[in-house]
Amino acid sequence: MTKHRYILALDQGTTSSRAIVFDETGAIRSRAQAEYAQIYPKDGWVEHDPVEIYSSVVSVASEAVARLNLARGDIAAIGITNQRETIVCWDKATGEPIYNAIVWQCRRTSDVCDRLKASGYSDMIYEKTGLPVDAYFSATKLAWILENVDGARSRAARGELLFGTVDTYLMWKLSAGGIFATDYTNASRTMLFNIHTLDWDEELLKLFDIPRCMLPEVKPSCGLFGYTSADIYGSRVPITGVAGDQQAALFGQRCFARGTAKNTFGTGCFLLMNTGSVAEKSRNGLITTLAASGTDRPHYALEGSVFVGGAVVQWLRDELRIIKTAAETERIARSVPDTLGMYVVPAFVGLGAPHWDAYARGTVTGLTRGTTREHFVRAALESIAYQVNDVIRAMQDDCGEKFGFLAVDGGASANDFLMQFTADISDITVTRPAVVESTALGAAYLAGLAAGVYDIAELSEKPDGITEFAPAMAAETRDRLVSGWNAAVARAKFDPSGNGR
């Protein structure tokens, strides 16, 4: 293993950009972070300034490297991970964006997606891309820019404009136009990429009226993408790892084998399971997507999203004002033995996978005169685990096998009560790593493998410092609690008959 060589991971997120320097052991040696502006031109529209994104990335990278006082050549490689589905369209000659980045959260093209579904395109798009038709993904965002920015469509047809997710734009800028590429994971989130042929799909490009010449080359997540410009770090540094944030976290959690899975406990929850070389077709409303792989052979994953995870704790703090800090919820939840049959279903913006009910709304069931603040807090925490368990069961049903363990990360994973209840209600051992920066670590692993800093055999070994939460709940108790949760979810769902919800 190469000694005294470092990997610079650039983690470009939805609200901030971070840079983390990892050493040859995978330990964090330096980090820097900067937030940037969120732009809301209209209700439901979300944008970022691409120039500000790039400036923030260069700034935090320079800060993180400077803190270590590294010599030229000490950075062996760069890994990039990024907010997925967000797009940038820019001038090929000048590098200047022709419009703000349209963010994955933006709903401006929902009506377009409704028309596509009404026209019968859902099955074709899912068969090719593994994705449902939704404004979440990139295709309709790019089509909107071509349709609404003056001259964009004709300029695109003439080959004057380029399109990419954030990783593509960053690599183009960092290399002074020398790299125009993306990786399998980011391409698989565009609704333009055929995850089976591993190429941009001509039928989809025609459907969305997008010229192929706008699109970047698509490469495996681990390998040489190109080199930065020499004036960025004083020398040309190879970029050798790229992955969308959730796939990078899956890789950072060392979920290299089929059947291994991770869940990120953030504002929402993102659960991904590696399905190896098989693109499993979900019968339960999950997404089939490409996973990051340490080789040039593609791996696939099933993905399920929970809309409200840690956000339910923010609700307790900011709206109900029954707690002061998120950290105190663990102590409060442990102060009572159960919830007295109370359930909180935090469907504030509908229910995500596997229910997919946009019209469901938050519900509290089982209230009695004996219900206290402590029961409410415990029920809110338990609701996160119940929702994750719903996705776990859907995934296990799709692939016909049970998880060996569930790796966890994200802010709420620090709550030991929540992790234990997740293990209990899902009957799966939960593992929390010592380094919870799984997204950046995944990008570093991908880059370091390609650069010879890390070895896949060593990464495949169980790392030190893992905290395990083994299931300890009786099956009878688990079945009773899940049955009560299912009944509460049924009450939260939309009732088209008009008889109540």
Side-chain angles (χ1 to χ4, degrees):
M1 179 180 290
T2 306
K3 296 297 182 182
H4 307 302
R5 298 265 279 171
Y6 300 90
I7 301 295
L8 173 62
L10 303 178
D11 183 355
Q12 205 298 300
T14 307
T15 59
S16 68
S17 297
R18 297 188 303 161
I20 301 180
V21 179
F22 293 90
D23 66 17
E24 67 273 6
T25 70
I28 294 174
R29 298 297 300 272
S30 177
R31 72 180 91 196
Q33 180 170 345
E35 295 186 355
Y36 58 92
Q38 307 295 301
I39 303 168
Y40 306 101
K42 295 182 182 180
D43 184 38
W45 292 29
V46 189
E47 298 177 358
H48 295 154
D49 179 352
V51 175
E52 187 178 6
I53 286 177
Y54 175 68
S55 297
S56 68
V57 167
V58 171
S59 174
V60 295
S62 298
E63 183 179 346
V65 171
R67 285 178 177 175
L68 286 180
N69 194 29
L70 298 180
R72 181 181 297 183
D74 281 343
I75 300 295
I78 292 173
I80 294 175
T81 182
N82 56 285
Q83 53 171 313
R84 304 176 300 174
E85 299 92 18
T86 298
I87 67 152
V88 184
C89 185
W90 67 96
D91 185 295
K92 183 177 181 179
T94 68
E96 292 300 312
I98 67 166
Y99 190 81
N100 279 337
I102 301 181
V103 180
W104 60 272
Q105 299 161 315
C106 188
R107 305 302 298 176
R108 77 183 65 193
T109 60
S110 293
D111 58 338
V112 176
C113 293
D114 289 342
R115 290 196 295 272
L116 287 168
K117 287 183 279 190
S119 298
Y121 287 108
S122 295
D123 288 346
M124 181 271 284
I125 290 174
Y126 177 77
E127 288 295 331
K128 290 174 177 287
T129 69
L131 306 175
V133 176
D134 197 273
Y136 178 28
F137 305 108
S138 308
T140 57
K141 303 180 194 298
L142 176 56
W144 186 94
I145 287 179
L146 295 181
E147 192 65 32
N148 289 276
V149 175
D150 286 345
R153 187 166 294 285
S154 59
R155 294 181 65 198
R158 293 194 300 269
E160 297 174 5
L161 300 181
L162 301 179
F163 149 81
T165 43
V166 171
D167 59 303
T168 301
Y169 176 68
L170 291 178
M171 285 191 283
W172 174 271
K173 295 288 287 183
L174 288 169
S175 65
I179 305 172
F180 185 46
T182 189
D183 85 302
Y184 288 159
T185 69
N186 279 293
S188 72
R189 313 300 292 194
T190 61
M191 218 159 64
L192 298 169
F193 189 73
N194 190 313
I195 63 172
H196 309 290
T197 65
L198 302 179
D199 196 6
W200 301 113
D201 190 272
E202 292 295 340
E203 188 176 5
L204 293 175
L205 296 181
K206 183 177 179 180
L207 175 64
F208 293 104
D209 197 13
I210 293 171
R212 189 184 180 100
C213 61
M214 295 185 71
L215 306 178
E217 179 184 1
V218 185
K219 297 185 176 185
S221 300
C222 181
L224 179 64
F225 286 79
Y227 295 83
T228 66
S229 171
D231 59 5
I232 300 291
Y233 301 111
S235 61
R236 297 172 73 236
V237 181
I239 298 173
T240 55
V242 178
D245 53 10
Q246 297 306 320
Q247 286 97 329
L250 185 71
F251 201 81
Q253 288 277 23
R254 308 184 189 212
C255 295
F256 304 146
R258 176 182 169 85
T260 53
K262 72 89 192 175
N263 185 69
T264 297
F265 286 86
T267 301
C269 294
F270 290 91
L271 203 159
L272 276 75
M273 179 182 68
N274 190 328
T275 62
S277 61
V278 180
E280 296 282 1
K281 185 175 180 180
S282 178
R283 301 177 301 276
N284 297 288
L286 303 179
I287 288 170
T288 305
T289 194
L290 280 158
S293 168
T295 70
D296 59 1
R297 296 186 301 275
H299 278 196
Y300 294 89
L302 283 172
E303 177 175 336
S305 302
V306 171
F307 293 159
V308 177
V312 73
V313 176
Q314 297 171 336
W315 174 64
L316 295 178
R317 182 192 65 197
D318 300 337
E319 277 74 40
L320 296 189
R321 295 191 287 276
I322 63 175
I323 62 169
K324 292 183 179 178
T325 66
E328 67 181 309
T329 59
E330 181 176 339
R331 173 185 57 79
I332 294 170
R334 290 186 186 279
S335 70
V336 289
D338 53 41
T339 68
L340 283 183
M342 174 189 176
Y343 291 89
V344 173
V345 183
F348 304 145
V349 290
L351 288 169
H355 308 285
W356 294 114
D357 185 343
Y359 301 102
R361 287 297 176 263
T363 304
V364 179
T365 66
L367 288 174
T368 68
R369 183 63 180 82
T371 303
T372 66
R373 163 179 175 261
E374 288 74 18
H375 296 118
F376 214 111
V377 170
R378 182 173 177 128
L381 283 181
E382 288 184 359
S383 76
I384 304 172
Y386 283 124
Q387 292 178 96
V388 170
N389 183 54
D390 285 346
V391 179
I392 289 172
R393 292 187 176 208
M395 283 189 177
Q396 292 180 155
D397 181 63
D398 279 338
C399 69
E401 56 190 272
K402 186 176 179 179
F403 296 177
F405 64 93
L406 178 67
V408 299
D409 52 49
S413 70
N415 189 307
D416 285 358
F417 169 82
L418 174 58
M419 296 302 98
Q420 184 60 54
F421 192 78
T422 299
D424 287 339
I425 211 66
S426 61
D427 193 26
I428 294 170
T429 296
V430 169
T431 63
R432 184 177 62 203
V435 178
V436 295
E437 298 282 5
S438 300
T439 304
L441 184 59
Y445 281 166
L446 290 165
L449 284 170
V453 174
Y454 303 131
D455 178 84
I456 192 65
E458 293 179 358
L459 292 184
S460 298
E461 296 175 359
K462 185 177 179 180
D464 296 331
I466 282 183
T467 303
E468 291 192 352
F469 300 86
M473 181 179 286
E476 180 180 335
T477 303
R478 181 183 304 112
D479 291 345
R480 174 175 54 81
L481 292 176
V482 170
S483 178
W485 167 257
N486 290 338
V489 169
R491 295 192 177 199
K493 289 186 175 182
F494 176 66
D495 181 2
S497 71
N499 298 318
R501 285 216 49 81

